[in-house]
Amino acid sequence: MEQVKLSQSLEDYLEMVHMLRLANGIARVRDIAAALKVKMPSVAKAVIELKKLGLVTQEPYSGIELTSEGALVASQILNRHILLKSFLIKLGVSEAIADKDACCMEHILSAETLEKIEDFVNTPNESAKKPNAAKSKKK
Amino acid sequence: MEQVKLSQSLEDYLEMVHMLRLANGIARVRDIAAALKVKMPSVAKAVIELKKLGLVTQEPYSGIELTSEGALVASQILNRHILLKSFLIKLGVSEAIADKDACCMEHILSAETLEKIEDFVNTPNESAKKPNAAKSKKK
DNA sequence: TTCGTAGATTAGCCTTTACTAATTAGCCGA
DNA sequence: TCGGCTAATTAGTAAAGGCTAATCTACGAA
């Protein structure tokens, strides 16, 4: 399991391929560009890189597919995104901002921080504190 | 009040100038490079940019000084860093990782998210919840 | 005073990642 | 079938930010 080390930018592209396939069944260059607010040639170039890394495949002039490894990596990123968004919303951040900030945070946080955030999100709202006295029972 | 828009990298350099001056009284290229784990020419290039932006001054071959605006911006960044580090520590993250992750987060989070994080940090540990019933303090 | 060295700087290169402009491929309607 | 449009690609440019190598400056020791 050689974890591929992706740049933030490539992580964004890969994640978007995954999201568009979930939403529309197909990930096209046009839609990736629109969603990420870049131009199509930027997407094309990123797709070439992701192909080199074995994370996506593509028939010329058609939609982008994920390899099994690509699907794995993409869903890890997407899960981080979802976790972070819930986290920010739990802190009181508005949905739109939570989505935007989750999108930046998902690329940079260490595993340890992500774990702690997960603990926080999974803690019932009432007793969200006391990391030491915590897990006895939900009252 | 024209907020200068700095890249993450330049924010890091400016913040480090400030930190080294607080710690040692002087910010030298050598020490900035060591602290940020880059080589000296990278620092020199960044300092040129910060000079162009009117945030630092420097006598040739000597330490880097902050202009008043540079000091203002630098302390804003440092404050964000301190806030985020406390926040992560409150979540249970270890100090070293909190410091490292705060360093990334400080450049990307929106004002709204920073506000909510500040609220969270300032909330006593026992009743850290209920964002609606919580406080009526106007900032 | 002179020299050696550490720190600072300059020059030039490389990678990443975006862009515009121009070209190519696929497809639909007349 | 033939245009013509849209999507995709290719080619070439630019900026950011890092690096190495080479050079310059300042300063302390001999």
Side-chain angles (χ1 to χ4, degrees):
Chain A
M1 286 309 88
E2 19 48 57
Q3 275 296 56
V4 195
K5 177 64 174 158
L6 291 177
S7 67
Q8 295 190 17
S9 158
L10 288 183
E11 281 194 356
D12 275 332
Y13 285 111
L14 185 64
E15 181 187 13
M16 188 54 67
V17 169
H18 193 214
M19 292 201 300
L20 287 171
R21 285 175 55 76
L22 289 176
N24 308 339
I26 184 172
R28 284 172 308 185
V29 172
R30 179 77 188 70
D31 297 329
I32 296 170
L36 294 179
K37 297 185 171 44
V38 298
K39 305 298 178 184
M40 288 200 289
S42 305
V43 177
K45 202 170 278 193
V47 169
I48 290 171
E49 291 306 308
L50 292 173
K51 277 197 274 196
K52 282 185 196 166
L53 294 169
L55 299 173
V56 306
T57 59
Q58 183 197 27
E59 301 295 310
Y61 292 90
S62 64
I64 292 125
E65 311 283 333
L66 294 168
T67 65
S68 58
E69 186 181 1
L72 179 64
V73 175
S75 54
Q76 286 171 352
I77 300 166
L78 185 55
N79 286 341
R80 289 207 296 267
H81 182 97
I82 292 167
L83 170 67
L84 289 165
K85 186 172 172 183
S86 317
F87 171 64
L88 293 175
I89 286 173
K90 188 166 179 177
L91 285 178
V93 178
S94 67
E95 163 141 7
I97 300 287
D99 205 61
K100 173 180 157 300
D101 282 5
C103 205
C104 304
M105 292 170 73
E106 69 194 11
H107 307 297
I108 59 176
L109 295 183
S110 61
E112 179 178 336
T113 297
L114 287 169
E115 263 176 48
K116 300 302 181 183
I117 286 176
E118 193 164 3
D119 291 347
F120 176 82
V121 169
N122 290 335
T123 301
N125 238 3
E126 289 63 45
S127 58
K129 279 315 58 320
K130 298 295 188 51
N132 42 1
K135 72 287 302 298
S136 53
K137 202 79 34 181
K138 61 228 53 165
K139 29 185 23 145
Chain B
M1 294 299 252
E2 19 49 62
Q3 276 295 60
V4 193
K5 177 63 172 154
L6 291 178
S7 67
Q8 296 189 18
S9 159
L10 287 184
E11 281 193 356
D12 275 332
Y13 286 111
L14 185 64
E15 182 188 12
M16 188 54 68
V17 169
H18 193 212
M19 292 200 302
L20 287 172
R21 285 175 54 76
L22 290 177
N24 307 339
I26 185 173
R28 284 172 307 184
V29 172
R30 180 76 188 71
D31 297 329
I32 297 170
L36 294 178
K37 296 184 171 43
V38 297
K39 304 300 178 184
M40 287 199 290
S42 305
V43 176
K45 200 176 281 194
V47 168
I48 289 171
E49 291 307 308
L50 292 173
K51 276 197 275 195
K52 281 186 196 166
L53 293 168
L55 299 173
V56 306
T57 59
Q58 182 196 27
E59 300 296 309
Y61 293 89
S62 64
I64 292 125
E65 310 284 332
L66 293 168
T67 66
S68 58
E69 186 181 2
L72 179 64
V73 174
S75 54
Q76 287 170 351
I77 299 166
L78 185 56
N79 286 340
R80 290 206 297 268
H81 182 96
I82 293 167
L83 169 67
L84 290 165
K85 185 173 171 183
S86 316
F87 172 65
L88 293 175
I89 287 174
K90 188 165 180 178
L91 285 177
V93 178
S94 67
E95 162 141 6
I97 299 287
D99 204 61
K100 173 180 156 301
D101 283 5
C103 206
C104 304
M105 292 171 72
E106 70 194 13
H107 307 297
I108 60 176
L109 295 183
S110 61
E112 179 179 335
T113 297
L114 287 169
E115 263 176 48
K116 300 301 181 183
I117 287 176
E118 193 164 2
D119 291 347
F120 177 82
V121 169
N122 290 335
T123 301
N125 241 1
E126 288 63 44
S127 58
K129 282 305 72 315
K130 298 295 190 47
N132 43 359
K135 78 286 307 301
S136 57
K137 64 170 296 190
K138 46 243 32 176
K139 27 168 349 187

